[in-house]
Amino acid sequence: MSALDLVAKKKSKSVVWKWYAFDASDEEQTTPLCKICRKSVAVKNSTTNLFQHLQKHHPSEWQQCISERTAQGKADAATPPPPPKQVTLPDSFSRGVPYDRTDRRWKNITDAVAFHIAVDMVPIYTVEKPGFQRLLHTLDPRYKLPGRKHFGEVVLPRMYNTTRAKVTNKLGDVQFFSATTDLWSSRTMQPYLSLTVHFITDEWNLENACLQTSFFPSDHTGEEIAQGLRDGLESWNMSEDRLVCMTTDSGTNMIKALRLNEWPNLQCFGHKLHNAIVNAVKDPRIDRATVICKKVVSSFSYSWKRRRELAAVQAELGLPVHQLITESPTRWGSRQLMIERVLEQERAIARVLGSEKKSRCLVPTWQDVEVLESVNKAIKPLQDFTDALSGENYVTVSIIKPTLSMFRSSLLKPEDEDTELTKQIKEKILHYMTEKYSDPDKDELLDIASLMDPRFQTTYIDPARVEHIKERAVTELLSLLPTEPDTAVRVRQEENEVAAAEPGPAPKKRRSLSSFFPKKKPASSLSEVDRIRAELATYLLISEISEDADPLQWWKKQEENFPRLSKLARKYLSIPATSAPSERLFSVGGGVVTCHRASLKPDAVDRLVFLAKNLQM
């Protein structure tokens, strides 16, 4: 290749390009060639490889390149910067004048700061920190940041009132809603009662709104909780008749409160499954192995030296570089995650703990490992269902029936290779879950929800109860209709009115031959019951959609075809299967009431939690 076939670098600034060029066919100039040895040099976003090639293969040219680059740097440093653009006197004056508080720009920045305080759950005194003040002054020198008192007494309360009005307007258009509730104690041991509602919008989106995290200093008895929940709905002008179901934990005081209010209640699936697992693993062998697990995890949690050694052994043995997991009593499934991680790192744990005389007693024995493996095999497949049924923005209640069916048919069905302990755990979990979901009222509620999910319809309903559930759906749809006379009755009333308005009897006409044959009933004279039954029959003839599909999107497309059934679907598919929304609400509360904000008043806590959850609706 001759020098005539090479093309210089386009728009090059570095002096190193004096020794490099490109082939004429390389229009994109991606592969530079050395002009001296004609070798290609790989480059990405810098010229480092070009300098290194000269230094390694052409030392004299490299020395020349470095000298020219140094000279170029000195010349650039000697060049004076361009003179600053002169600012006119009016511009200079306007830049130094702070915004008036009535100015739109000042209001927008102030609202943005309040939004940051509410959504990111930062203390209000952030506005008085010098770093934050410098940031805002750099962004806009004309903006003068108000003090914490202005945000705490004016801006945030105004934002709360505005957001509450938006939530109220949105809930006013909702015909039916479901709810979750729970009790929580803050860092300062102040008790709060939460209330979250769930509903399906006209656009068939499943949404939720936090109504309150109210201070609840009364005794946590069923009577007091019942009154507190009624007061919560009344403060939002939400009728109890619109409440479809309230999902709670399995606390006896919560169950009693809903029974006193005569509200439909569904116990949290996550709590039930957690209690079933805890009940199933009550065994001395499991207790010993679990205690060993906890001690092992604790020995690494409080020793940075052991954690360092564990990482080294993991790399040596080719194990995943994972930290051990600590069990949390309030976190569903955390025990299984702890056991699974200990089994995964068993060899590394034995190597690290076995090297010290004081910690050798913590190394799990082979008997302990067998027990842990039996426990893990029994409960690991159930972990994913708890997570899947804890969602807020997709339908979960209709999945309970299919999940229980899967438990019976596969996940908790004894297998030949299972140990006796694994079989025992599976049997106890299945018996507990079957017993807890044997209540007729709750079973019927789940059947209706499953029927309204086009993914399942009647698949997971007891065949002996299918007709009963269909009749229940028809009866409930009739109760949802406006209180108007039946269509056939209205037709007869109109005929009687026309006959009464005629002056006299019409002359008798000779009957035609066709009048002797029975006529089909006009569609307009069908009773509402017949229409509902026909609509339900047509719906059940439709083949089930994929289990991965969104049932709400299916109803959105089919609402015109099933205008009556869609009302029932919008009513029941809003029920959450778990009380996880309330648990997440308490996580927000924990982010609001921190050790740096332990003196917040209950009203301020309620306001800040409300804004953090609803401001982005």
Side-chain angles (χ1 to χ4, degrees):
M1 183 183 298
S2 63
L4 297 176
D5 297 329
L6 298 180
V7 180
K9 169 70 174 176
K10 301 176 183 178
K11 299 180 180 179
S12 61
K13 294 182 179 181
S14 178
V15 295
V16 75
W17 288 108
K18 180 179 178 180
W19 287 270
Y20 295 91
F22 297 88
D23 185 75
S25 61
D26 188 2
E27 298 180 356
E28 300 294 331
Q29 295 192 344
T30 57
T31 308
L33 303 174
C34 177
K35 292 182 179 180
I36 304 172
C37 61
R38 293 297 192 270
K39 288 185 178 180
S40 61
V41 181
V43 294
K44 293 184 178 180
N45 298 322
S46 66
T47 57
T48 303
N49 290 350
L50 302 181
F51 282 101
Q52 291 179 352
H53 176 78
L54 289 179
Q55 183 181 12
K56 183 177 181 180
H57 299 285
H58 314 292
S60 59
E61 285 78 3
W62 179 74
Q63 291 290 346
Q64 182 182 353
C65 177
I66 294 300
S67 301
E68 293 186 10
R69 186 174 68 169
T70 304
Q72 184 184 21
K74 292 181 179 179
D76 293 341
T79 304
K85 185 179 179 181
Q86 186 174 4
V87 181
T88 62
L89 185 60
D91 290 342
S92 177
F93 180 76
S94 62
R95 290 182 183 181
V97 176
Y99 292 118
D100 187 85
R101 291 201 172 191
T102 59
D103 190 277
R104 179 180 296 274
R105 173 70 174 168
W106 187 90
K107 292 180 179 179
N108 290 340
I109 298 178
T110 303
D111 289 343
V113 173
F115 185 89
H116 164 63
I117 292 173
V119 174
D120 296 335
M121 294 178 286
V122 299
I124 300 178
Y125 62 75
T126 301
V127 300
E128 296 181 352
K129 291 189 174 183
F132 187 76
Q133 292 178 348
R134 180 177 179 180
L135 171 65
L136 291 183
H137 181 74
T138 303
L139 295 175
D140 194 335
R142 296 182 60 190
Y143 176 72
K144 186 175 181 181
L145 185 64
R148 59 189 296 181
K149 186 175 182 180
H150 181 76
F151 280 97
E153 298 181 0
V154 178
V155 184
L156 288 173
R158 182 178 64 228
M159 185 173 286
Y160 171 81
N161 293 333
T162 304
T163 308
R164 184 183 175 102
K166 291 180 180 178
V167 175
T168 301
N169 292 335
K170 198 163 193 176
L171 295 179
D173 299 331
V174 175
Q175 185 177 6
F176 295 104
F177 64 91
S178 303
T180 55
T181 186
D182 206 348
L183 289 161
W184 166 70
S185 295
S186 68
R187 180 181 293 270
T188 56
M189 298 309 296
Q190 288 182 322
Y192 290 88
L193 178 65
S194 72
L195 181 60
T196 304
V197 294
H198 307 259
F199 54 93
I200 297 177
T201 64
D202 293 338
E203 294 76 25
W204 288 95
N205 295 321
L206 182 56
E207 298 184 4
N208 61 82
C210 164
L211 298 189
Q212 66 178 30
T213 309
S214 60
F215 184 52
F216 196 74
S218 306
D219 292 339
H220 296 175
T221 61
E223 292 79 7
E224 294 290 345
I225 295 174
Q227 184 60 46
L229 292 175
R230 286 197 301 270
D231 293 341
L233 291 183
E234 289 176 4
S235 66
W236 284 83
N237 295 323
M238 302 190 72
S239 172
E240 299 177 13
D241 298 336
R242 297 161 57 193
L243 176 63
V244 183
C245 181
M246 183 170 285
T247 305
T248 67
D249 59 17
S250 302
T252 55
N253 53 353
M254 279 291 179
I255 297 175
K256 181 179 180 181
L258 297 185
R259 186 173 67 249
L260 292 174
N261 285 343
E262 298 182 351
W263 293 352
N265 174 227
L266 182 67
Q267 274 85 57
C268 171
F269 182 87
H271 275 104
K272 284 188 177 295
L273 184 58
H274 176 75
N275 293 337
I277 294 174
V278 171
N279 180 69
V281 297
K282 287 182 178 179
D283 186 282
R285 295 169 294 172
I286 300 176
D287 292 341
R288 167 187 160 77
T290 304
V291 170
I292 291 293
C293 263
K294 292 179 179 180
K295 290 183 177 180
V296 167
V297 174
S298 178
S299 67
F300 284 92
S301 299
Y302 296 102
S303 174
W304 64 267
K305 184 178 179 181
R306 285 178 182 166
R307 295 175 71 173
R308 182 187 64 186
E309 294 175 358
L310 180 65
V313 175
Q314 287 171 341
E316 181 181 345
L317 299 178
L319 296 174
V321 184
H322 292 158
Q323 296 291 338
L324 301 183
I325 298 175
T326 304
E327 178 188 11
S328 174
T330 59
R331 184 183 173 193
W332 305 331
S334 60
R335 175 174 294 187
Q336 184 272 325
L337 295 176
M338 177 187 68
I339 292 175
E340 183 181 20
R341 185 58 56 83
V342 169
L343 292 174
E344 176 193 87
Q345 302 294 332
E346 175 198 352
R347 290 188 296 158
I349 291 171
R351 176 85 67 85
V352 175
L353 296 181
S355 62
E356 300 179 20
K357 185 177 180 180
K358 293 182 178 180
S359 60
R360 288 175 187 170
C361 60
L362 298 179
V363 178
T365 64
W366 65 268
Q367 295 96 332
D368 295 329
V369 172
E370 284 189 353
V371 171
L372 294 176
E373 288 176 344
S374 298
V375 173
N376 188 58
K377 185 176 181 181
I379 65 179
K380 180 181 178 181
L382 311 180
Q383 176 70 24
D384 295 336
F385 288 94
T386 303
D387 297 337
L389 289 169
S390 299
E392 298 182 42
N393 300 320
Y394 54 87
V395 176
T396 56
V397 65
S398 58
I399 308 178
I400 294 180
K401 277 275 185 175
T403 300
L404 294 174
S405 176
M406 188 175 294
F407 282 1
R408 290 189 292 267
S409 62
S410 58
L411 296 181
L412 295 178
K413 186 177 181 179
E415 300 176 358
D416 295 336
E417 60 272 17
D418 288 345
T419 63
E420 289 300 322
L421 184 57
T422 300
K423 294 179 180 178
Q424 176 184 335
I425 295 173
K426 288 183 175 180
E427 181 181 354
K428 287 184 177 180
I429 295 175
L430 184 58
H431 179 266
Y432 184 94
M433 297 298 291
T434 303
E435 180 183 2
K436 293 301 179 180
Y437 282 96
S438 60
D439 181 78
D441 294 335
K442 293 180 176 58
D443 189 50
E444 189 165 306
L445 175 69
L446 296 177
D447 283 339
I448 288 288
S450 180
L451 178 67
M452 291 297 101
D453 193 324
R455 297 173 296 179
F456 311 122
Q457 295 181 345
T458 60
T459 304
Y460 297 98
I461 302 176
D462 185 356
R465 290 176 48 83
V466 171
E467 291 301 322
H468 169 72
I469 297 301
K470 290 165 64 175
E471 287 301 317
R472 157 75 188 272
V474 172
T475 303
E476 188 160 356
L477 282 173
L478 284 174
S479 67
L480 297 180
L481 295 176
T483 55
E484 296 180 359
D486 188 80
T487 305
V489 175
R490 292 199 305 269
V491 171
R492 287 194 297 270
Q493 290 176 350
E494 293 174 357
E495 292 177 350
N496 294 336
E497 292 174 358
V498 171
E502 294 180 354
K508 187 175 181 181
K509 294 183 178 180
R510 187 176 182 180
R511 297 182 64 183
S512 62
L513 181 62
S514 61
S515 64
F516 290 95
F517 294 96
K519 296 182 179 180
K520 291 184 178 180
K521 199 174 185 180
S524 60
S525 63
L526 286 176
S527 67
E528 194 63 34
V529 176
D530 294 335
R531 295 178 183 177
I532 294 174
R533 294 185 191 280
E535 194 171 301
L536 180 58
T538 306
Y539 166 72
L540 295 177
L541 289 175
I542 297 177
S543 55
E544 299 171 3
I545 63 177
S546 170
E547 293 186 359
D548 296 330
D550 186 353
L552 297 183
Q553 292 303 311
W554 186 90
W555 277 109
K556 182 178 181 179
K557 297 176 181 178
Q558 301 294 334
E559 184 175 10
E560 293 184 359
N561 298 328
F562 304 102
R564 297 165 182 83
L565 285 180
S566 61
K567 296 179 181 179
L568 211 58
R570 183 178 272 115
K571 177 179 179 179
Y572 281 99
L573 296 184
S574 66
I575 304 173
T578 69
S579 60
S582 294
E583 305 290 342
R584 296 189 183 100
L585 191 63
F586 297 154
S587 298
V588 175
V592 171
V593 187
T594 63
C595 57
H596 297 291
R597 291 196 287 177
S599 299
L600 280 175
K601 301 297 182 183
D603 290 343
V605 173
D606 185 20
R607 184 165 57 244
L608 291 173
V609 173
F610 178 87
L611 289 175
K613 290 293 292 182
N614 299 323
L615 202 53
Q616 301 184 73
M617 279 188 61

